């Protein structure tokens, strides 16, 4: 039975500028997920595999990616700083 392991590109970028990140939210999970749930920590969410998100204000945000497939689900948390 295959497991599922949630990963992100660079384990989610730690800091980015201008509030928009089109490359930071990239799923690199193992186990062939077929469902994604991003919580950007600012009240916005996405079910896209590699979403683009814009933060409206600077600060630290806890981002969570949850992926799932027929074998289960896994989540990854990371705190990012927007300046």
């Amino acid at each position: 039975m295959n497991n599922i392991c949630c990963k992100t590109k660079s384990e989610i970028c730690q800091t980015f500028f201008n509030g928009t990140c089109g490359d930071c939210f990239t799923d690199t999970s193992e186990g062939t997920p077929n469902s994604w749930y991003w919580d950007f920590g600012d009240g916005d969410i996405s079910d896209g595999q590699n979403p683009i998100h814009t933060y409206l204000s600077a600060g630290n945000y806890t981002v969570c990616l949850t992926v799932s497939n027929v074998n289960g689900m896994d989540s990854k948390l990371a705190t990012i700083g927007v300046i």
Side-chain angles (χ1 to χ4, degrees):
M1 180 164 102
N2 291 330
N3 291 325
I4 189 163
C5 179
C6 185
K7 293 184 181 178
T8 60
K9 181 181 179 181
S10 302
E11 297 299 335
I12 300 183
C13 297
Q14 294 303 307
T15 304
F16 59 92
F17 297 89
N18 302 324
T20 299
C21 189
D23 197 32
C24 294
F25 304 111
T26 302
D27 169 57
T28 60
S29 300
E30 300 169 357
T32 317
N34 58 16
S35 177
W36 299 265
Y37 181 86
W38 291 88
D39 182 335
F40 299 109
D42 64 350
D44 203 2
I45 59 171
S46 175
D47 62 1
Q49 182 177 6
N50 301 308
I52 295 174
H53 180 66
T54 300
Y55 288 95
L56 300 179
S57 55
N60 292 320
Y61 298 91
T62 300
V63 178
C64 180
L65 169 61
T66 302
V67 295
S68 62
N69 67 12
V70 296
N71 297 309
M73 66 172 44
D74 192 22
S75 295
K76 180 73 175 186
L77 287 173
T79 300
I80 60 168
V82 176
I83 52 178

